[in-house]
Amino acid sequence: MATTDPFAGERLKESPFHPRQAPMNLRDAWSSWNGFKFADYYYDTVYEYFCIRNFCGTYDICPMQKYLVTGADALAMLDRMVTRDLGKLKTDRVTYCCWCTDEGRMIDDGTIFRLDEDRFMLTCGSPCIAWLRKSMIGFDDVAVRDVTEETAGLSLQGPTACTVLKTLGLDGIETLKPFGIQRFPFHGDTLMVSRTGFTGGLGYELWIPAPLALTLWDALYEAGGDYGIHPYGEAATNMARLEAGFIMPYMEFSEALKTVNYQHDQSPFELGLDWLVDFRKPHFNGRAALLAERERGPRYRLTKLDIEGNKVAEDAILYNNRRCSRQVGYITSAMWSPAAKANIALAMIETRYLEGDIWAEIYYPKELRPIRKMARCTVRDKPFWSGPGARQTPPPAT
Amino acid sequence: MKRYDAIVIGAGHNGLTNAAYLARAGLDVLVVEKNDYIGGAAVTREMHEGWYYSSCSYVCSMMRQAIHRDLDLSRHGLLLVPYLGTVAFGDNGETLIDYPDEEASYLELKRHSPHDADAMSRFQADLGRYAQLIRKTLLRTPPDPASFRPRDIGELLWLAREFWKLGEQELYEYIRFFTMSAADFLEDYFENDLVKAAMASPGIIGTALGVESPGSAYILLHHVMGDVDGNVGAWGLARGGMGAISHAIASALREAGGELRTEAGVERILVKDGATVGVVLENGDELYSDIVVSNLDAKRTFTRLLAPQDLPPRILERARNFKIRGSSGKVNIALSGMPRFTGLPDNPYINRGGQGFVGSLETMERAYDAWKRGTWSEDPFIESVIPSAWDPTVAPAGKHWMSNFIQYCPPELADGPWTPEKRDAFGQTVVNKIERYAPGFKDLIVHMEVRTPHEIENEIGLTQGNIFQGELTIDQLLFNRPFPGYGQYRMPLKNFWMCGSSTHPGGGVSSACGANAAREILRDLKKPNIVPDDDCYDE
């Protein structure tokens, strides 16, 4: 008689790539994402970070939510949900977007893939089926299906990524432009490749029916053997995305639908996502509130900071003077950037203090003793790092 | 005729750093370089189709992060990638793996000696303490202990205070450390010979000293006090080879309006009324400038580019006797595949990083004995790295290049001058040794570049091929570098400066010498300082 696992209800699910990833997780450094067992790192965070910047690495995006939105009204429905104008999104193109509550507060961000005239894939960090169902109200011909578990996604990021895919036999992949989609026959099915990612460098995301996940993994690792391919986890992702200036849920923003305290969520304007909000389209969720916010100006602005010294400003509070008499904001993410060789951070800063001095109050440990340091911050406009030729087509050879 | 504000001789990384800061301060700067490529010893060259060798220096950890950040070398294309997994190979085929994971390294040491596994933490802590102080001095001008200028007194007091912070006992330890041998120093900590040999090997790299010679303990420190992104003791590779460092600094220099001229070797430095006024190039061109900065080593600068009658005799004597003995060779090898080392598991994290063919303390000391006799040992110490495993741009995919640094290799042989045949025989010795540890290695060889001190001197101009531009012994360190009384980059001719590794803080791709010299030059020109402070003071 088969014994049942009494802890089955508490065990994490395994991604379709798990059988290959698990033996490579030498440190048993697991965390979780949407109920899936998920690597924090495999061998060494910095090693994996440098795979992204120097060779290429794979990041398991199976736990990311994927919804197939189909029907004659699919476009209209999504276009009303998100702040960006989807009318411009052509077939086989991908766009980054966000969606808001009626109050203009951000629920989540994600990407929308236009797979066909009336066929879309929406990907996002957290489950959002309830909000999608709410957004469908009033549209007759639209269906939403959660394809998270039937679709395996693997992100391949780094300067050798294109070469690896060419070696894999994806002819013409070098012609794929940023945010474009191409399809390739793969073991009797279709491998979909989008030139998308979360690292600020050259990168692709590979989409395959889950049963073919391991076949894809093996082929990819065979092709990538001479190009330094290596899996990377959450820790390295977080480093790369911060250098690129990308936002992370629960670091830069709290999802509006899950926030208890008033306005402890954020608006797209506060997050510097102005470019995602298109008031030229007639109506979308949160439009009126966002229009009003644009008029009066957002209270906070997510700001890129270059901080003097090399002590990481994690969780630091920001002031407009070094005596700390007036608080002007707080750090959301911070790290020492190996690629930019700078002490970088993203911070929420009250808009009216952006022009003045900004000081971070940093605490760092020195053999158990906490040391306090005031460090001057400089506002940066551009990403801290961007991959050389990352947006070029065809991409540079290595 | 055009007159520059400053001419810097030699486009090595320190010369470029110096010029970049002078240009940023608004000076009209020209760098002249004898070769048709820049970088000096921080250079990448395609020596075989598809293979890009870092022909001289090959790894990086001394580079001052504050300079990298301030000159924005990342934007100028520089990416420093740390490499993992160093293995020491002993005489009898035993291996000692330095795992990136502390616990794994502890267990590995314990396999050799439980005592040494425990002692390692004390060793690292002591070394860390010594390094912490020295690191703070790298981007500072050494005080002149014989001067009563407020600035020198202030700097001496700073140094005294830093020493004092170590505690009374450490003051004694420090003095010992500066003067003792690597082997004696290690005797205080370890019992296992392979552990000792592995730890001692940085103490002889680039130096005409043996593991048993007084002074080698400091060299050891010099090699472990660097860092990559704050990981002290870690070593990195520049993506694209060491030349990427020079090219990034050159790009910063050009952006600041500086000029760079290659194939412009300097024949002579022009001196008028006790002041330098320009240079004469090998092609006869005369170039004039308000100041001249030499990035060449002290011996070459004072004995080859300046006329003896222009110099105080005492300085000429110091320059002639400057200790800059050649002791190292370099063999760059293009490989058709990854070598497989006996006794190592098929673990890609540790079997393709760095290899230290250390043998034992005895083997290393015997290699030194051979050097003293004007020959090379058949069993030399080799420090190898396989950069292609960490950088996709330096060899064709699936192929590799291995950098092999050899200690020792004499600048002159007892049986006459270096010849191509002797050079190749030296290269063969190196290959034979590696073959012993990696059977089949020879079959992988596609191309080989063998560099003895003779080649290094002739190609990039380091006297005797000494990689540090002068030995790092206490008589030639801090305010004694290059000469006692001339430790502040100003040389005994008016408007004449030095900015290379012959000055404080010495050898290594650090940019510190060049930056320090720029700070002093700007000070004399009464311009505001734009050279940043080091960022290691919070440690």
Side-chain angles (χ1 to χ4, degrees), chain A residues 199-351:
Chain A
T199 60
L202 175 67
Y204 302 85
E205 287 169 331
L206 314 179
W207 311 90
I208 191 92
L212 279 172
L214 294 182
T215 314
L216 173 66
W217 179 282
D218 293 340
L220 192 65
Y221 271 75
E222 171 76 31
D226 288 337
Y227 301 96
I229 196 168
H230 192 276
Y232 65 95
E234 191 57 26
T237 298
N238 200 26
M239 291 175 76
R241 71 89 198 173
L242 179 51
E243 288 181 333
F246 298 148
I247 59 170
M248 191 81 127
Y250 302 111
M251 301 201 71
E252 275 65 44
F253 71 96
S254 318
E255 296 172 28
L257 299 176
K258 301 178 186 168
T259 310
V260 173
N261 295 294
Y262 177 63
Q263 291 208 338
H264 277 231
D265 47 15
Q266 286 76 24
S267 78
F269 293 124
E270 289 181 338
L271 290 163
L273 300 176
D274 312 32
W275 57 285
L276 290 189
V277 183
D278 195 339
F279 288 114
R280 282 168 304 183
K281 60 177 189 172
H283 183 67
F284 58 90
N285 219 51
R287 188 176 194 273
L290 288 170
L291 205 51
E293 190 187 3
R294 189 179 67 167
E295 288 309 308
R296 63 167 191 272
R299 187 171 162 219
Y300 283 97
R301 284 298 264 185
L302 185 71
T303 307
K304 297 179 194 72
L305 294 181
D306 188 343
I307 301 170
E308 70 175 357
N310 55 21
K311 297 300 166 206
V312 174
E314 211 162 8
D315 298 328
I317 290 178
L318 303 174
Y319 300 87
N320 67 352
N321 63 70
R322 63 180 311 163
R323 298 179 316 283
C324 305
S325 58
R326 163 69 67 184
Q327 186 180 331
V328 299
Y330 56 92
I331 298 285
T332 58
S333 306
M335 67 181 273
W336 173 261
S337 161
K341 283 282 178 287
N343 191 15
I344 64 173
L346 288 174
M348 271 293 182
I349 300 175
E350 286 187 60
T351 314

Side-chain angles (χ1 to χ4, degrees), chain B residues 159-304:
Chain B
L159 200 58
R161 207 169 51 237
E162 288 296 321
F163 257 112
W164 198 249
K165 281 202 292 200
L166 297 168
E168 192 186 346
Q169 186 57 36
E170 292 304 320
L171 283 170
Y172 305 121
E173 295 295 331
Y174 229 92
I175 310 272
R176 271 179 87 222
F177 182 79
F178 258 105
T179 50
M180 75 201 297
S181 77
D184 287 344
F185 174 60
L186 292 161
E187 201 60 48
D188 284 356
Y189 299 90
F190 303 118
E191 60 178 19
N192 179 277
D193 192 72
L194 180 58
V195 174
K196 281 194 253 185
M199 297 298 127
S201 64
I204 57 170
I205 286 177
T207 308
L209 295 175
V211 286
E212 305 282 359
S213 315
S216 52
Y218 173 75
I219 317 288
L220 191 165
L221 179 66
H222 196 84
H223 281 114
V224 297
M225 71 177 159
D227 71 286
V228 182
D229 296 311
N231 295 317
V232 178
W235 284 83
L237 298 158
R239 191 176 205 261
M242 294 299 280
I245 297 174
S246 304
H247 280 281
I249 306 172
S251 170
L253 164 68
R254 287 196 196 91
E255 188 181 78
E259 228 181 285
L260 194 51
R261 198 182 295 183
T262 52
E263 293 178 274
V266 170
E267 180 69 37
R268 195 155 48 83
I269 295 170
L270 288 168
V271 179
K272 201 176 162 190
D273 302 330
T276 55
V277 294
V279 297
V280 186
L281 299 184
E282 281 161 358
N283 67 6
D285 285 0
E286 292 191 4
L287 301 170
Y288 295 94
S289 61
D290 289 347
I291 62 169
V292 173
V293 188
S294 174
N295 184 35
L296 312 186
D297 70 63
K299 191 161 194 166
R300 195 176 181 93
T301 300
F302 285 95
T303 64
R304 307 263 299 260

Side-chain angles (χ1 to χ4, degrees), chain A residues 29-98:
Chain A
W30 298 106
S31 55
S32 62
W33 182 14
N34 288 337
F36 282 89
K37 200 170 188 178
F38 195 71
D40 197 20
Y41 59 95
Y42 289 85
Y43 184 72
D44 178 86
T45 299
V46 172
Y47 177 83
E48 287 156 35
Y49 159 84
F50 275 105
C51 285
I52 301 172
R53 291 290 179 242
N54 181 38
F55 285 107
C56 70
T58 62
Y59 179 62
D60 185 356
I61 47 176
C62 293
M64 191 163 70
Q65 299 300 294
K66 300 170 237 8
Y67 300 100
L68 204 59
V69 185
T70 53
D73 290 335
L75 175 65
M77 174 244 148
L78 287 170
D79 198 40
R80 200 193 67 172
M81 184 176 102
V82 305
T83 60
R84 206 168 187 181
D85 185 0
L86 293 184
K88 295 173 188 162
L89 184 65
K90 297 197 180 83
T91 299
D92 287 342
R93 297 284 300 163
V94 186
T95 192
Y96 171 60
C97 54
C98 68

Side-chain angles (χ1 to χ4, degrees), chain A residues 27 43 47 50 53-55 159 226-227 230 306-307 309-311 336 338-343 364 366 373 398, chain B residues 65 68-69 74 78-82 84 100-101 229 239 349 352 388-393 397-398 535 538-539:
Chain A
R27 315 281 189 229
Y43 184 72
Y47 177 83
F50 275 105
R53 291 290 179 242
N54 181 38
F55 285 107
D226 288 337
Y227 301 96
H230 192 276
D306 188 343
I307 301 170
N310 55 21
K311 297 300 166 206
W336 173 261
K341 283 282 178 287
N343 191 15
Y364 65 93
K366 182 171 172 175
K373 177 187 180 174
T398 48
Chain B
Q65 194 167 269
H68 187 149
R69 185 179 187 180
S74 295
L78 181 58
L79 182 70
L80 295 180
V81 181
L84 309 174
D101 182 69
D229 296 311
R239 191 176 205 261
Y349 302 112
R352 59 196 184 123
S388 52
W390 305 85
D391 177 355
T393 69
D535 64 356
D538 291 337
E539 278 171 3

